[in-house]
Amino acid sequence: MRFNCYSLRLGVSLSTPDARILCVRLRALPGIVSAVVDQSELKIWYRGIFPMAQVKKLVAQITVGYKSKENEPEMADYRREAILSVGSFIAMQLLKKASPAAFASVKILRSGLILYIARNFIKNGVTGLVRDNRPNADTLTATAVIASVLAGKPESSLSLLALSNGAEMLTSYAAEKARGHISGLLNLNQPYVWLVDNGVERKVSVKEIKAGDVIAAHTGEKICIDGQVLSGTAAINQASITGESAPAMKKKGLPVYAGSVVEAGEVVIKVEKVGKDTSLAHVVHLVEEAQTRRAPVQNFADTMANLLVPISFLGAAIVYGATRDWQRVLNLLFIDFSCGLKLSTATAISAAIGAAAKQGILVKGGNYIEALADTDTVVLDKTGTITVGVPQVSAIVTASGVEEKEILLLAASAEHHSVHPLAVAIQKYVKDKSWTVPQHKSSKTIVARGMTAVVPDFEGFRGGDVLVGSAKLMKERKVVGMDQITIENLTMGYIYVARDGKLLGAIGIMDPIRPLMKKTLNQMRRYGVDEVVMLTGDSKAVASEVARDMDIDAYHAEVLPEDKANHVMKLKKRGTVMMVGDGINDAPALAFAHVGVTLGGRQTDLAAESSAVTIRSEDPSRLIDALQLGRRTMNLIHQNFTATIMVNSAAMLLGALGVITPLWAAVIHNTATLAVVLNSARILAPEKKRSIGA
């Protein structure tokens, strides 16, 4: 069954960062396949009924500066509450020791102070009951505080509040560190640049630089803009963008990115993008926005935590009925599973997204972290993914009496204005040889076949009516001599060249396999991937050769973009599919896969927008890094689940038996919560490189 995908265009007026955020949120809506903002136009691809109301709401939110975290407490709030509760606890203990009579006389004041300190817990607890019709973790805490006040021992709950607020502050600090790690990592921290004006360098503020300016970057300096090298050579560390620690050699014509560092040499750069439009800003905004896309495991943690709260109430009721001991009741009310389950899971997902960005892997939401961990089927596009994506002249077959230079220059002249990859390969080959391409007198494109051109005589070679194209074109034009040359390697793409109706020869062009690609596929299998499938628009002969060399399980050749999407949809029925591609024809398949991944620096904007994961590096082993990170994250989350439930359950049992006091119950609960959050933050620490499957 083929999928039906429709498109819609809407006019919007947004900054580049806001436009990217809008696209990410739109792709999360049911039925939306992809969304891209091009200048002032929003393009949306969708299936089924278009969710116009939801789209308008999102656009309105972005336009007015919607903040997803606007209701979250600030670190200062946690710090203030922690200081107040800890300070009150110490003051009461000192007063109790110094003057027991005075301590007893201010019982009402003590109760009022404790209720004030617990005001946020009481408010949130009551809100949960009224709004959600079910108790939450704060309902437990509020009940414990009120119960201690009614029992005439308000100070017993003060220890709970002191520990809870202190733990909240430390936990929030750890989680915030995890969320903010990537922003600090990508901070430019470079206040000035060297502006080149009429050949003279002068130091100016980064804020003064605009697109079209020319700047110089020297050894040790951080590049603050996106641009293209005009002159010079330098070794540049691009780890903040690609995640590759080895510096890249940059020379004239090559791109450089904001956030990269000049380790050796110096270059003169033409500025193309500044400020919020740079690749670095794109990385930061994608990472920040990714935090708002929840993983299914986070929803599971929330559901489980909410289901376990009534168990604490039930346990407290049973203990009170059996013992009439308020101390044991408070033990159970002081312990809940919610904090450990929710906070540790959210921190793990945030830390994973930050750690991925550090490696040059942009994951657009926590849901994709979980999907990476479950991936068992990998689908790869061939051109630009399995292969480098840059065709190269690999063989030249000539007829008798024809020189290689002659056939190449005639082909280059006819294809001089063509942007077809095969034509570009010929032009690059001639350029690398420093040969001068003769100018054709006229040329004409034959759609899906080739080119014709009239080329004058040049460099001792005869010109004439030149025909360049496929074997099919040669047969259609009744070119003679096709049987006089032998093509041995049928896996290459061949361009045939004829002059005045007679075949001169053929130029074999091949797109080489990416280095380390076969090793990457082997590692994927050792890491739990059961099936590797290749999809390509190339001929069956080329696809068969590549599939055999790469030990690919299955391949489909001569497929159209919609066919790729259909193949992905079929594979999704029997597993979790990761689709890897880089071109505009891969966008539908990338959007339909569980995890769409774009690989390499030459990816198209549409492919990058349609994908869930963007890898800017050309190194295919980054795919393994992404799979490893997903599984490591989920393993840590499962560890945290087990630890939280076991520790808190043991504490509840000890509390019910009266073995521990409410103070120790609170200590155990809050220590366990902080421990699992810190365990989640371990994802930010670099993992030691080891052999896959070891």
Side-chain angles (χ1 to χ4, degrees):
M1 180 183 293
R2 293 181 179 272
F3 70 98
N4 294 318
C5 189
Y6 307 97
S7 64
L8 182 71
R9 302 187 179 194
L10 300 171
V12 294
S13 180
L14 296 170
S15 65
T16 301
D18 286 343
R20 289 168 179 155
I21 291 174
L22 175 61
C23 291
V24 170
R25 289 181 176 162
L26 285 173
R27 286 195 296 271
L29 295 178
I32 300 296
V33 175
S34 186
V36 179
V37 173
D38 184 9
Q39 294 180 350
S40 60
E41 186 175 61
L42 171 63
K43 302 176 183 177
I44 303 175
W45 287 262
Y46 66 97
R47 290 184 301 156
I49 299 174
F50 183 72
M52 178 60 80
Q54 292 171 286
V55 170
K56 286 184 176 180
K57 182 179 179 181
L58 281 177
V59 172
Q61 288 175 340
I62 296 293
T63 303
V64 299
Y66 173 77
K67 302 282 186 183
S68 62
K69 300 179 181 179
E70 61 184 359
N71 295 321
E72 291 188 3
E74 297 290 337
M75 179 65 66
D77 296 334
Y78 288 126
R79 188 182 299 114
R80 184 177 61 252
E81 294 300 320
I83 292 172
L84 177 61
S85 54
V86 172
S88 299
F89 179 77
I90 294 173
M92 283 193 184
Q93 294 302 314
L94 292 175
L95 179 61
K96 186 177 182 180
K97 277 189 175 183
S99 176
F103 179 80
S105 65
V106 293
K107 183 177 179 180
I108 296 178
L109 291 177
R110 284 169 19 225
S111 299
L113 174 62
I114 289 167
L115 290 174
Y116 174 77
I117 295 173
R119 66 194 184 284
N120 291 328
F121 293 104
I122 296 172
K123 177 184 176 182
N124 294 334
V126 173
T127 300
L129 283 172
V130 174
R131 183 186 61 196
D132 303 327
N133 295 319
R134 63 187 178 194
N136 54 34
D138 286 339
T139 310
L140 271 176
T141 303
T143 304
V145 171
I146 294 171
S148 68
V149 171
L150 295 176
K153 296 181 179 180
E155 63 277 358
S156 62
S157 63
L158 186 56
S159 59
L160 167 66
L161 295 174
L163 286 168
S164 295
N165 284 321
E168 284 282 2
M169 183 182 69
L170 293 175
T171 302
S172 177
Y173 177 76
E176 189 63 31
K177 276 289 185 183
R179 286 196 295 266
H181 180 80
I182 190 61
S183 297
L185 180 74
L186 299 179
N187 185 20
L188 285 175
N189 194 27
Q190 182 85 8
Y192 64 85
V193 293
W194 295 99
L195 178 66
V196 179
D197 190 5
N198 294 324
V200 178
E201 296 181 16
R202 59 186 178 90
K203 186 186 293 187
V204 300
S205 170
V206 172
K207 297 178 181 179
E208 296 180 27
I209 298 300
K210 59 184 183 300
D213 286 344
V214 177
I215 66 168
H218 307 278
T219 301
E221 294 180 347
K222 185 174 284 187
I223 297 172
C224 304
I225 50 84
D226 286 358
Q228 189 176 76
V229 177
L230 293 179
S231 63
T233 303
I236 295 180
N237 188 324
Q238 302 181 133
S240 60
I241 299 297
T242 66
E244 297 169 327
S245 57
M249 293 304 300
K250 297 291 184 178
K251 57 183 180 180
K252 183 179 180 180
L254 294 179
V256 292
Y257 305 103
S260 52
V261 179
V262 181
E263 293 195 348
E266 56 183 42
V267 286
V268 175
I269 308 164
K270 182 177 181 180
V271 178
E272 294 179 345
K273 296 179 181 179
V274 297
K276 295 181 179 180
D277 293 327
T278 63
S279 297
L280 185 71
H282 188 195
V283 170
V284 173
H285 282 288
L286 280 178
V287 172
E288 290 175 346
E289 181 60 23
Q291 313 289 346
T292 66
R293 301 191 69 170
R294 294 167 60 85
V297 72
Q298 288 177 270
N299 296 328
F300 175 75
D302 290 356
T303 301
M304 178 180 285
N306 291 331
L307 289 175
L308 290 173
V309 169
I311 293 177
S312 296
F313 277 111
L314 179 62
I318 293 173
V319 167
Y320 180 75
T323 67
R324 291 297 192 274
D325 187 342
W326 275 106
Q327 289 291 93
R328 297 191 187 191
V329 171
L330 291 176
N331 281 337
L332 271 68
L333 294 178
F334 281 10
I335 298 169
D336 73 83
F337 301 88
S338 180
C339 296
L341 294 176
K342 291 182 178 181
L343 290 175
S344 66
T345 304
T347 301
I349 295 297
S350 294
I353 292 170
K358 183 179 178 182
Q359 299 178 57
I361 303 168
L362 304 184
V363 183
K364 298 181 181 178
N367 50 327
Y368 300 122
I369 292 288
E370 186 170 352
L372 283 169
D374 296 334
T375 295
D376 55 19
T377 304
V378 175
V379 181
L380 303 119
D381 172 52
K382 184 185 80 68
T383 304
T385 302
I386 293 178
T387 64
V388 175
V390 182
Q392 301 172 3
V393 173
S394 303
I396 304 170
V397 182
T398 62
S400 178
V402 179
E403 295 184 25
E404 290 186 357
K405 183 177 181 180
E406 179 181 7
I407 186 175
L408 283 162
L409 287 176
L410 285 170
S413 178
E415 301 266 25
H416 189 62
H417 299 300
S418 175
V419 294
H420 191 281
L422 300 184
V424 172
I426 294 174
Q427 294 160 15
K428 183 179 184 301
Y429 185 89
V430 170
K431 182 179 180 181
D432 291 343
K433 291 286 187 179
S434 299
W435 294 341
T436 302
V437 179
Q439 294 295 319
H440 55 243
K441 293 181 179 179
S442 62
S443 66
K444 181 181 179 181
T445 300
I446 305 172
V447 179
R449 294 287 192 275
M451 299 280 294
T452 63
V454 177
V455 181
D457 296 343
F458 61 98
E459 298 184 17
F461 297 115
R462 184 167 61 85
D465 293 329
V466 178
L467 183 66
V468 181
S470 63
K472 189 173 183 179
L473 176 62
M474 299 296 143
K475 292 176 182 178
E476 289 176 354
R477 295 300 178 93
K478 298 180 181 179
V479 171
V480 299
M482 290 290 289
D483 56 346
Q484 294 181 11
I485 64 172
T486 302
I487 303 298
E488 297 179 353
N489 188 350
L490 297 176
T491 63
M492 290 188 189
Y494 279 89
I495 290 182
Y496 292 81
V497 183
R499 179 179 57 203
D500 297 334
K502 183 177 180 181
L503 185 70
L504 299 179
I507 303 170
I509 297 175
M510 178 178 286
D511 187 1
I513 302 295
R514 281 183 187 270
L516 301 178
M517 178 54 79
K518 187 171 184 178
K519 183 178 180 181
T520 296
L521 297 183
N522 291 337
Q523 287 176 334
M524 281 183 175
R525 288 190 174 88
R526 293 199 293 271
Y527 207 66
V529 173
D530 299 323
E531 186 176 13
V532 179
V533 180
M534 181 180 72
L535 303 178
T536 178
D538 276 352
S539 66
K540 292 182 179 179
V542 174
S544 175
E545 181 74 13
V546 173
R548 184 169 61 251
D549 289 345
M550 294 289 103
D551 292 328
I552 288 173
D553 299 313
Y555 70 89
H556 302 277
E558 300 176 1
V559 294
L560 298 173
E562 58 266 29
D563 294 325
K564 290 185 179 182
N566 290 325
H567 284 300
V568 167
M569 293 291 285
K570 290 176 183 177
L571 290 170
K572 283 176 68 176
K573 295 178 180 178
R574 61 175 189 257
T576 303
V577 178
M578 180 172 80
M579 168 71 194
V580 188
D582 78 319
I584 191 168
N585 59 328
D586 300 322
L590 289 168
F592 277 93
H594 290 106
V595 187
V597 182
T598 52
L599 176 67
R602 287 181 294 274
Q603 61 206 234
T604 65
D605 289 341
L606 180 57
E609 289 291 344
S610 301
S611 63
V613 179
T614 301
I615 301 176
R616 293 181 177 274
S617 171
E618 300 289 344
D619 183 359
S621 66
R622 294 293 177 195
L623 295 170
I624 299 296
D625 293 337
L627 292 175
Q628 280 182 323
L629 183 64
R631 300 201 177 187
R632 184 185 176 201
T633 301
M634 293 308 298
N635 286 338
L636 280 176
I637 288 174
H638 294 149
Q639 286 177 19
N640 293 337
F641 273 29
T642 302
T644 298
I645 292 174
M646 289 183 65
V647 171
N648 285 288
S649 296
M652 290 179 72
L653 178 60
L654 293 174
L657 295 174
V659 176
I660 59 176
T661 64
L663 175 61
W664 280 106
V667 168
I668 294 171
H669 162 65
N670 287 293
T671 301
T673 299
L674 183 58
V676 292
V677 169
L678 291 175
N679 187 46
S680 294
R682 285 197 302 123
I683 296 172
L684 290 171
E687 189 177 23
K688 291 182 179 179
K689 293 291 182 181
R690 54 187 173 85
S691 176
I692 306 295

